[in-house]
mmCIF file with all atom_site columns, all heavy atoms in Angstrom:
data_model
loop_
_atom_site.group_PDB
_atom_site.id
_atom_site.type_symbol
_atom_site.label_atom_id
_atom_site.label_alt_id
_atom_site.label_comp_id
_atom_site.label_asym_id
_atom_site.label_entity_id
_atom_site.label_seq_id
_atom_site.pdbx_PDB_ins_code
_atom_site.Cartn_x
_atom_site.Cartn_y
_atom_site.Cartn_z
_atom_site.occupancy
_atom_site.B_iso_or_equiv
_atom_site.pdbx_formal_charge
_atom_site.auth_seq_id
_atom_site.auth_comp_id
_atom_site.auth_asym_id
_atom_site.auth_atom_id
_atom_site.pdbx_PDB_model_num
ATOM 1   N N   . GLY A 1 1  ? -47.561 -33.272 32.678 1.00 97.00 ? 1  GLY A N   1
ATOM 2   C CA  . GLY A 1 1  ? -46.802 -33.051 31.451 1.00 97.00 ? 1  GLY A CA  1
ATOM 3   C C   . GLY A 1 1  ? -45.743 -32.010 31.705 1.00 97.00 ? 1  GLY A C   1
ATOM 4   O O   . GLY A 1 1  ? -45.702 -31.396 32.777 1.00 97.00 ? 1  GLY A O   1
ATOM 5   N N   . TYR A 1 2  ? -44.871 -31.805 30.738 1.00 98.00 ? 2  TYR A N   1
ATOM 6   C CA  . TYR A 1 2  ? -43.838 -30.783 30.905 1.00 98.00 ? 2  TYR A CA  1
ATOM 7   C C   . TYR A 1 2  ? -43.395 -30.252 29.555 1.00 98.00 ? 2  TYR A C   1
ATOM 8   O O   . TYR A 1 2  ? -43.573 -30.892 28.515 1.00 98.00 ? 2  TYR A O   1
ATOM 9   C CB  . TYR A 1 2  ? -42.634 -31.324 31.682 1.00 98.00 ? 2  TYR A CB  1
ATOM 10  C CG  . TYR A 1 2  ? -41.903 -32.481 31.030 1.00 98.00 ? 2  TYR A CG  1
ATOM 11  C CD1 . TYR A 1 2  ? -40.853 -32.262 30.142 1.00 98.00 ? 2  TYR A CD1 1
ATOM 12  C CD2 . TYR A 1 2  ? -42.254 -33.800 31.318 1.00 98.00 ? 2  TYR A CD2 1
ATOM 13  C CE1 . TYR A 1 2  ? -40.176 -33.316 29.561 1.00 98.00 ? 2  TYR A CE1 1
ATOM 14  C CE2 . TYR A 1 2  ? -41.580 -34.863 30.750 1.00 98.00 ? 2  TYR A CE2 1
ATOM 15  C CZ  . TYR A 1 2  ? -40.538 -34.614 29.864 1.00 98.00 ? 2  TYR A CZ  1
ATOM 16  O OH  . TYR A 1 2  ? -39.876 -35.661 29.279 1.00 98.00 ? 2  TYR A OH  1
ATOM 17  N N   . VAL A 1 3  ? -42.864 -29.043 29.587 1.00 98.00 ? 3  VAL A N   1
ATOM 18  C CA  . VAL A 1 3  ? -42.282 -28.406 28.409 1.00 98.00 ? 3  VAL A CA  1
ATOM 19  C C   . VAL A 1 3  ? -40.800 -28.222 28.676 1.00 98.00 ? 3  VAL A C   1
ATOM 20  O O   . VAL A 1 3  ? -40.415 -27.643 29.697 1.00 98.00 ? 3  VAL A O   1
ATOM 21  C CB  . VAL A 1 3  ? -42.952 -27.050 28.116 1.00 98.00 ? 3  VAL A CB  1
ATOM 22  C CG1 . VAL A 1 3  ? -42.264 -26.367 26.935 1.00 98.00 ? 3  VAL A CG1 1
ATOM 23  C CG2 . VAL A 1 3  ? -44.443 -27.249 27.829 1.00 98.00 ? 3  VAL A CG2 1
ATOM 24  N N   . ALA A 1 4  ? -39.968 -28.719 27.768 1.00 98.00 ? 4  ALA A N   1
ATOM 25  C CA  . ALA A 1 4  ? -38.518 -28.668 27.917 1.00 98.00 ? 4  ALA A CA  1
ATOM 26  C C   . ALA A 1 4  ? -37.925 -27.799 26.818 1.00 98.00 ? 4  ALA A C   1
ATOM 27  O O   . ALA A 1 4  ? -38.269 -27.957 25.646 1.00 98.00 ? 4  ALA A O   1
ATOM 28  C CB  . ALA A 1 4  ? -37.930 -30.086 27.849 1.00 98.00 ? 4  ALA A CB  1
ATOM 29  N N   . GLY A 1 5  ? -37.037 -26.889 27.200 1.00 98.00 ? 5  GLY A N   1
ATOM 30  C CA  . GLY A 1 5  ? -36.415 -26.003 26.214 1.00 98.00 ? 5  GLY A CA  1
ATOM 31  C C   . GLY A 1 5  ? -35.473 -25.027 26.871 1.00 98.00 ? 5  GLY A C   1
ATOM 32  O O   . GLY A 1 5  ? -34.767 -25.362 27.828 1.00 98.00 ? 5  GLY A O   1
ATOM 33  N N   . SER A 1 6  ? -35.508 -23.788 26.411 1.00 98.00 ? 6  SER A N   1
ATOM 34  C CA  . SER A 1 6  ? -34.609 -22.759 26.925 1.00 98.00 ? 6  SER A CA  1
ATOM 35  C C   . SER A 1 6  ? -35.129 -22.185 28.233 1.00 98.00 ? 6  SER A C   1
ATOM 36  O O   . SER A 1 6  ? -36.301 -22.341 28.598 1.00 98.00 ? 6  SER A O   1
ATOM 37  C CB  . SER A 1 6  ? -34.468 -21.632 25.899 1.00 98.00 ? 6  SER A CB  1
ATOM 38  O OG  . SER A 1 6  ? -35.700 -20.924 25.783 1.00 98.00 ? 6  SER A OG  1
ATOM 39  N N   . GLN A 1 7  ? -34.248 -21.478 28.940 1.00 98.00 ? 7  GLN A N   1
ATOM 40  C CA  . GLN A 1 7  ? -34.652 -20.797 30.162 1.00 98.00 ? 7  GLN A CA  1
ATOM 41  C C   . GLN A 1 7  ? -35.670 -19.705 29.851 1.00 98.00 ? 7  GLN A C   1
ATOM 42  O O   . GLN A 1 7  ? -36.629 -19.501 30.608 1.00 98.00 ? 7  GLN A O   1
ATOM 43  C CB  . GLN A 1 7  ? -33.430 -20.198 30.865 1.00 98.00 ? 7  GLN A CB  1
ATOM 44  C CG  . GLN A 1 7  ? -33.722 -19.546 32.199 1.00 98.00 ? 7  GLN A CG  1
ATOM 45  C CD  . GLN A 1 7  ? -34.212 -20.534 33.251 1.00 98.00 ? 7  GLN A CD  1
ATOM 46  O OE1 . GLN A 1 7  ? -33.764 -21.675 33.288 1.00 98.00 ? 7  GLN A OE1 1
ATOM 47  N NE2 . GLN A 1 7  ? -35.141 -20.099 34.099 1.00 98.00 ? 7  GLN A NE2 1
ATOM 48  N N   . ALA A 1 8  ? -35.481 -19.002 28.729 1.00 98.00 ? 8  ALA A N   1
ATOM 49  C CA  . ALA A 1 8  ? -36.423 -17.945 28.354 1.00 98.00 ? 8  ALA A CA  1
ATOM 50  C C   . ALA A 1 8  ? -37.809 -18.521 28.081 1.00 98.00 ? 8  ALA A C   1
ATOM 51  O O   . ALA A 1 8  ? -38.828 -17.907 28.427 1.00 98.00 ? 8  ALA A O   1
ATOM 52  C CB  . ALA A 1 8  ? -35.910 -17.200 27.128 1.00 98.00 ? 8  ALA A CB  1
ATOM 53  N N   . LEU A 1 9  ? -37.865 -19.697 27.462 1.00 98.00 ? 9  LEU A N   1
ATOM 54  C CA  . LEU A 1 9  ? -39.151 -20.344 27.217 1.00 98.00 ? 9  LEU A CA  1
ATOM 55  C C   . LEU A 1 9  ? -39.840 -20.641 28.548 1.00 98.00 ? 9  LEU A C   1
ATOM 56  O O   . LEU A 1 9  ? -41.039 -20.372 28.721 1.00 98.00 ? 9  LEU A O   1
ATOM 57  C CB  . LEU A 1 9  ? -38.950 -21.626 26.417 1.00 98.00 ? 9  LEU A CB  1
ATOM 58  C CG  . LEU A 1 9  ? -40.199 -22.487 26.200 1.00 98.00 ? 9  LEU A CG  1
ATOM 59  C CD1 . LEU A 1 9  ? -41.228 -21.746 25.351 1.00 98.00 ? 9  LEU A CD1 1
ATOM 60  C CD2 . LEU A 1 9  ? -39.825 -23.823 25.551 1.00 98.00 ? 9  LEU A CD2 1
ATOM 61  N N   . ARG A 1 10 ? -39.100 -21.204 29.487 1.00 98.00 ? 10 ARG A N   1
ATOM 62  C CA  . ARG A 1 10 ? -39.691 -21.496 30.788 1.00 98.00 ? 10 ARG A CA  1
ATOM 63  C C   . ARG A 1 10 ? -40.211 -20.229 31.452 1.00 98.00 ? 10 ARG A C   1
ATOM 64  O O   . ARG A 1 10 ? -41.329 -20.215 31.996 1.00 98.00 ? 10 ARG A O   1
ATOM 65  C CB  . ARG A 1 10 ? -38.657 -22.168 31.705 1.00 98.00 ? 10 ARG A CB  1
ATOM 66  C CG  . ARG A 1 10 ? -39.213 -22.555 33.072 1.00 98.00 ? 10 ARG A CG  1
ATOM 67  C CD  . ARG A 1 10 ? -38.128 -23.091 34.003 1.00 98.00 ? 10 ARG A CD  1
ATOM 68  N NE  . ARG A 1 10 ? -38.707 -23.686 35.205 1.00 98.00 ? 10 ARG A NE  1
ATOM 69  C CZ  . ARG A 1 10 ? -39.054 -23.014 36.298 1.00 98.00 ? 10 ARG A CZ  1
ATOM 70  N NH1 . ARG A 1 10 ? -38.888 -21.690 36.339 1.00 98.00 ? 10 ARG A NH1 1
ATOM 71  N NH2 . ARG A 1 10 ? -39.572 -23.650 37.336 1.00 98.00 ? 10 ARG A NH2 1
ATOM 72  N N   . GLU A 1 11 ? -39.437 -19.164 31.396 1.00 98.00 ? 11 GLU A N   1
ATOM 73  C CA  . GLU A 1 11 ? -39.832 -17.932 32.073 1.00 98.00 ? 11 GLU A CA  1
ATOM 74  C C   . GLU A 1 11 ? -41.104 -17.337 31.465 1.00 98.00 ? 11 GLU A C   1
ATOM 75  O O   . GLU A 1 11 ? -42.002 -16.896 32.191 1.00 98.00 ? 11 GLU A O   1
ATOM 76  C CB  . GLU A 1 11 ? -38.691 -16.913 32.013 1.00 98.00 ? 11 GLU A CB  1
ATOM 77  C CG  . GLU A 1 11 ? -37.465 -17.293 32.829 1.00 98.00 ? 11 GLU A CG  1
ATOM 78  C CD  . GLU A 1 11 ? -37.796 -17.489 34.301 1.00 98.00 ? 11 GLU A CD  1
ATOM 79  O OE1 . GLU A 1 11 ? -38.577 -16.682 34.857 1.00 98.00 ? 11 GLU A OE1 1
ATOM 80  O OE2 . GLU A 1 11 ? -37.298 -18.461 34.897 1.00 98.00 ? 11 GLU A OE2 1
ATOM 81  N N   . ILE A 1 12 ? -41.204 -17.318 30.132 1.00 98.00 ? 12 ILE A N   1
ATOM 82  C CA  . ILE A 1 12 ? -42.395 -16.733 29.515 1.00 98.00 ? 12 ILE A CA  1
ATOM 83  C C   . ILE A 1 12 ? -43.621 -17.577 29.816 1.00 98.00 ? 12 ILE A C   1
ATOM 84  O O   . ILE A 1 12 ? -44.724 -17.058 30.001 1.00 98.00 ? 12 ILE A O   1
ATOM 85  C CB  . ILE A 1 12 ? -42.203 -16.520 27.999 1.00 98.00 ? 12 ILE A CB  1
ATOM 86  C CG1 . ILE A 1 12 ? -43.189 -15.467 27.477 1.00 98.00 ? 12 ILE A CG1 1
ATOM 87  C CG2 . ILE A 1 12 ? -42.340 -17.801 27.216 1.00 98.00 ? 12 ILE A CG2 1
ATOM 88  C CD1 . ILE A 1 12 ? -42.939 -14.079 27.988 1.00 98.00 ? 12 ILE A CD1 1
ATOM 89  N N   . LEU A 1 13 ? -43.446 -18.897 29.922 1.00 98.00 ? 13 LEU A N   1
ATOM 90  C CA  . LEU A 1 13 ? -44.573 -19.763 30.249 1.00 98.00 ? 13 LEU A CA  1
ATOM 91  C C   . LEU A 1 13 ? -45.056 -19.521 31.685 1.00 98.00 ? 13 LEU A C   1
ATOM 92  O O   . LEU A 1 13 ? -46.260 -19.567 31.952 1.00 98.00 ? 13 LEU A O   1
ATOM 93  C CB  . LEU A 1 13 ? -44.198 -21.230 30.053 1.00 98.00 ? 13 LEU A CB  1
ATOM 94  C CG  . LEU A 1 13 ? -43.980 -21.686 28.609 1.00 98.00 ? 13 LEU A CG  1
ATOM 95  C CD1 . LEU A 1 13 ? -43.469 -23.123 28.568 1.00 98.00 ? 13 LEU A CD1 1
ATOM 96  C CD2 . LEU A 1 13 ? -45.259 -21.556 27.788 1.00 98.00 ? 13 LEU A CD2 1
ATOM 97  N N   . THR A 1 14 ? -44.136 -19.269 32.595 1.00 98.00 ? 14 THR A N   1
ATOM 98  C CA  . THR A 1 14 ? -44.553 -18.987 33.979 1.00 98.00 ? 14 THR A CA  1
ATOM 99  C C   . THR A 1 14 ? -45.341 -17.688 34.079 1.00 98.00 ? 14 THR A C   1
ATOM 100 O O   . THR A 1 14 ? -46.110 -17.491 35.023 1.00 98.00 ? 14 THR A O   1
ATOM 101 C CB  . THR A 1 14 ? -43.347 -18.904 34.942 1.00 98.00 ? 14 THR A CB  1
ATOM 102 O OG1 . THR A 1 14 ? -42.535 -17.770 34.604 1.00 98.00 ? 14 THR A OG1 1
ATOM 103 C CG2 . THR A 1 14 ? -42.516 -20.170 34.915 1.00 98.00 ? 14 THR A CG2 1
ATOM 104 N N   . GLN A 1 15 ? -45.161 -16.798 33.115 1.00 97.00 ? 15 GLN A N   1
ATOM 105 C CA  . GLN A 1 15 ? -45.831 -15.495 33.146 1.00 97.00 ? 15 GLN A CA  1
ATOM 106 C C   . GLN A 1 15 ? -47.136 -15.469 32.355 1.00 97.00 ? 15 GLN A C   1
ATOM 107 O O   . GLN A 1 15 ? -48.034 -14.685 32.667 1.00 97.00 ? 15 GLN A O   1
ATOM 108 C CB  . GLN A 1 15 ? -44.894 -14.408 32.592 1.00 97.00 ? 15 GLN A CB  1
ATOM 109 C CG  . GLN A 1 15 ? -43.564 -14.297 33.310 1.00 97.00 ? 15 GLN A CG  1
ATOM 110 C CD  . GLN A 1 15 ? -43.720 -14.061 34.794 1.00 97.00 ? 15 GLN A CD  1
ATOM 111 O OE1 . GLN A 1 15 ? -44.364 -13.091 35.208 1.00 97.00 ? 15 GLN A OE1 1
ATOM 112 N NE2 . GLN A 1 15 ? -43.156 -14.941 35.613 1.00 97.00 ? 15 GLN A NE2 1
ATOM 113 N N   . ARG A 1 16 ? -47.249 -16.345 31.318 1.00 97.00 ? 16 ARG A N   1
ATOM 114 C CA  . ARG A 1 16 ? -48.371 -16.180 30.393 1.00 97.00 ? 16 ARG A CA  1
ATOM 115 C C   . ARG A 1 16 ? -49.165 -17.442 30.081 1.00 97.00 ? 16 ARG A C   1
ATOM 116 O O   . ARG A 1 16 ? -50.271 -17.336 29.547 1.00 97.00 ? 16 ARG A O   1
ATOM 117 C CB  . ARG A 1 16 ? -47.855 -15.584 29.071 1.00 97.00 ? 16 ARG A CB  1
ATOM 118 C CG  . ARG A 1 16 ? -47.308 -14.175 29.206 1.00 97.00 ? 16 ARG A CG  1
ATOM 119 C CD  . ARG A 1 16 ? -46.880 -13.633 27.867 1.00 97.00 ? 16 ARG A CD  1
ATOM 120 N NE  . ARG A 1 16 ? -46.328 -12.282 27.970 1.00 97.00 ? 16 ARG A NE  1
ATOM 121 C CZ  . ARG A 1 16 ? -45.730 -11.639 26.978 1.00 97.00 ? 16 ARG A CZ  1
ATOM 122 N NH1 . ARG A 1 16 ? -45.587 -12.238 25.793 1.00 97.00 ? 16 ARG A NH1 1
ATOM 123 N NH2 . ARG A 1 16 ? -45.255 -10.430 27.150 1.00 97.00 ? 16 ARG A NH2 1
ATOM 124 N N   . ALA A 1 17 ? -48.637 -18.599 30.358 1.00 97.00 ? 17 ALA A N   1
ATOM 125 C CA  . ALA A 1 17 ? -49.352 -19.827 29.983 1.00 97.00 ? 17 ALA A CA  1
ATOM 126 C C   . ALA A 1 17 ? -50.558 -20.025 30.895 1.00 97.00 ? 17 ALA A C   1
ATOM 127 O O   . ALA A 1 17 ? -50.423 -20.241 32.098 1.00 97.00 ? 17 ALA A O   1
ATOM 128 C CB  . ALA A 1 17 ? -48.417 -21.027 30.050 1.00 97.00 ? 17 ALA A CB  1
ATOM 129 N N   . ARG A 1 18 ? -51.742 -19.980 30.349 1.00 97.00 ? 18 ARG A N   1
ATOM 130 C CA  . ARG A 1 18 ? -52.957 -19.969 31.155 1.00 97.00 ? 18 ARG A CA  1
ATOM 131 C C   . ARG A 1 18 ? -53.160 -21.258 31.964 1.00 97.00 ? 18 ARG A C   1
ATOM 132 O O   . ARG A 1 18 ? -53.568 -21.185 33.133 1.00 97.00 ? 18 ARG A O   1
ATOM 133 C CB  . ARG A 1 18 ? -54.166 -19.669 30.263 1.00 97.00 ? 18 ARG A CB  1
ATOM 134 C CG  . ARG A 1 18 ? -54.112 -18.241 29.702 1.00 97.00 ? 18 ARG A CG  1
ATOM 135 C CD  . ARG A 1 18 ? -55.223 -17.989 28.705 1.00 97.00 ? 18 ARG A CD  1
ATOM 136 N NE  . ARG A 1 18 ? -56.532 -17.886 29.323 1.00 97.00 ? 18 ARG A NE  1
ATOM 137 C CZ  . ARG A 1 18 ? -57.019 -16.790 29.892 1.00 97.00 ? 18 ARG A CZ  1
ATOM 138 N NH1 . ARG A 1 18 ? -56.287 -15.681 29.926 1.00 97.00 ? 18 ARG A NH1 1
ATOM 139 N NH2 . ARG A 1 18 ? -58.218 -16.777 30.423 1.00 97.00 ? 18 ARG A NH2 1
ATOM 140 N N   . PRO A 1 19 ? -52.890 -22.452 31.437 1.00 96.00 ? 19 PRO A N   1
ATOM 141 C CA  . PRO A 1 19 ? -53.050 -23.644 32.281 1.00 96.00 ? 19 PRO A CA  1
ATOM 142 C C   . PRO A 1 19 ? -52.130 -23.628 33.499 1.00 96.00 ? 19 PRO A C   1
ATOM 143 O O   . PRO A 1 19 ? -52.499 -24.118 34.567 1.00 96.00 ? 19 PRO A O   1
ATOM 144 C CB  . PRO A 1 19 ? -52.699 -24.801 31.335 1.00 96.00 ? 19 PRO A CB  1
ATOM 145 C CG  . PRO A 1 19 ? -52.959 -24.261 29.974 1.00 96.00 ? 19 PRO A CG  1
ATOM 146 C CD  . PRO A 1 19 ? -52.579 -22.828 30.032 1.00 96.00 ? 19 PRO A CD  1
ATOM 147 N N   . PHE A 1 20 ? -50.939 -23.050 33.340 1.00 97.00 ? 20 PHE A N   1
ATOM 148 C CA  . PHE A 1 20 ? -50.004 -22.934 34.455 1.00 97.00 ? 20 PHE A CA  1
ATOM 149 C C   . PHE A 1 20 ? -50.505 -21.904 35.469 1.00 97.00 ? 20 PHE A C   1
ATOM 150 O O   . PHE A 1 20 ? -50.443 -22.117 36.690 1.00 97.00 ? 20 PHE A O   1
ATOM 151 C CB  . PHE A 1 20 ? -48.625 -22.549 33.937 1.00 97.00 ? 20 PHE A CB  1
ATOM 152 C CG  . PHE A 1 20 ? -47.596 -22.349 35.016 1.00 97.00 ? 20 PHE A CG  1
ATOM 153 C CD1 . PHE A 1 20 ? -46.898 -23.433 35.530 1.00 97.00 ? 20 PHE A CD1 1
ATOM 154 C CD2 . PHE A 1 20 ? -47.326 -21.086 35.526 1.00 97.00 ? 20 PHE A CD2 1
ATOM 155 C CE1 . PHE A 1 20 ? -45.954 -23.258 36.543 1.00 97.00 ? 20 PHE A CE1 1
ATOM 156 C CE2 . PHE A 1 20 ? -46.376 -20.903 36.520 1.00 97.00 ? 20 PHE A CE2 1
ATOM 157 C CZ  . PHE A 1 20 ? -45.695 -21.993 37.029 1.00 97.00 ? 20 PHE A CZ  1
ATOM 158 N N   . LEU A 1 21 ? -51.020 -20.777 34.972 1.00 97.00 ? 21 LEU A N   1
ATOM 159 C CA  . LEU A 1 21 ? -51.409 -19.670 35.842 1.00 97.00 ? 21 LEU A CA  1
ATOM 160 C C   . LEU A 1 21 ? -52.694 -19.937 36.612 1.00 97.00 ? 21 LEU A C   1
ATOM 161 O O   . LEU A 1 21 ? -52.910 -19.360 37.683 1.00 97.00 ? 21 LEU A O   1
ATOM 162 C CB  . LEU A 1 21 ? -51.587 -18.394 35.007 1.00 97.00 ? 21 LEU A CB  1
ATOM 163 C CG  . LEU A 1 21 ? -50.322 -17.804 34.387 1.00 97.00 ? 21 LEU A CG  1
ATOM 164 C CD1 . LEU A 1 21 ? -50.681 -16.682 33.428 1.00 97.00 ? 21 LEU A CD1 1
ATOM 165 C CD2 . LEU A 1 21 ? -49.377 -17.313 35.466 1.00 97.00 ? 21 LEU A CD2 1
ATOM 166 N N   . PHE A 1 22 ? -53.561 -20.801 36.076 1.00 96.00 ? 22 PHE A N   1
ATOM 167 C CA  . PHE A 1 22 ? -54.898 -20.930 36.656 1.00 96.00 ? 22 PHE A CA  1
ATOM 168 C C   . PHE A 1 22 ? -55.234 -22.353 37.108 1.00 96.00 ? 22 PHE A C   1
ATOM 169 O O   . PHE A 1 22 ? -56.413 -22.672 37.278 1.00 96.00 ? 22 PHE A O   1
ATOM 170 C CB  . PHE A 1 22 ? -55.946 -20.430 35.653 1.00 96.00 ? 22 PHE A CB  1
ATOM 171 C CG  . PHE A 1 22 ? -55.800 -18.964 35.342 1.00 96.00 ? 22 PHE A CG  1
ATOM 172 C CD1 . PHE A 1 22 ? -55.249 -18.541 34.144 1.00 96.00 ? 22 PHE A CD1 1
ATOM 173 C CD2 . PHE A 1 22 ? -56.183 -18.007 36.260 1.00 96.00 ? 22 PHE A CD2 1
ATOM 174 C CE1 . PHE A 1 22 ? -55.094 -17.195 33.851 1.00 96.00 ? 22 PHE A CE1 1
ATOM 175 C CE2 . PHE A 1 22 ? -56.046 -16.654 35.987 1.00 96.00 ? 22 PHE A CE2 1
ATOM 176 C CZ  . PHE A 1 22 ? -55.493 -16.238 34.781 1.00 96.00 ? 22 PHE A CZ  1
ATOM 177 N N   . SER A 1 23 ? -54.221 -23.190 37.326 1.00 95.00 ? 23 SER A N   1
ATOM 178 C CA  . SER A 1 23 ? -54.462 -24.541 37.830 1.00 95.00 ? 23 SER A CA  1
ATOM 179 C C   . SER A 1 23 ? -53.557 -24.801 39.029 1.00 95.00 ? 23 SER A C   1
ATOM 180 O O   . SER A 1 23 ? -52.365 -24.472 39.002 1.00 95.00 ? 23 SER A O   1
ATOM 181 C CB  . SER A 1 23 ? -54.179 -25.592 36.749 1.00 95.00 ? 23 SER A CB  1
ATOM 182 O OG  . SER A 1 23 ? -55.032 -25.437 35.643 1.00 95.00 ? 23 SER A OG  1
ATOM 183 N N   . THR A 1 24 ? -54.113 -25.410 40.047 1.00 96.00 ? 24 THR A N   1
ATOM 184 C CA  . THR A 1 24 ? -53.329 -25.760 41.226 1.00 96.00 ? 24 THR A CA  1
ATOM 185 C C   . THR A 1 24 ? -52.208 -26.724 40.843 1.00 96.00 ? 24 THR A C   1
ATOM 186 O O   . THR A 1 24 ? -52.374 -27.585 39.986 1.00 96.00 ? 24 THR A O   1
ATOM 187 C CB  . THR A 1 24 ? -54.244 -26.400 42.286 1.00 96.00 ? 24 THR A CB  1
ATOM 188 O OG1 . THR A 1 24 ? -55.204 -25.426 42.693 1.00 96.00 ? 24 THR A OG1 1
ATOM 189 C CG2 . THR A 1 24 ? -53.460 -26.881 43.490 1.00 96.00 ? 24 THR A CG2 1
#
């Protein structure tokens, strides 16, 4: 899946979104 939006949205997700941070 993917999330599409602003650059700031992408950046905050790379820092805090738990499925992104803890899944290969």
Side-chain angles (χ1 to χ4, degrees):
Y2 62 89
V3 176
S6 68
Q7 184 65 36
L9 174 64
R10 182 186 191 275
E11 292 302 318
I12 201 67
L13 291 174
T14 66
Q15 303 304 303
R16 295 183 181 171
R18 293 174 72 82
F20 178 85
L21 292 171
F22 296 104
S23 298
T24 297

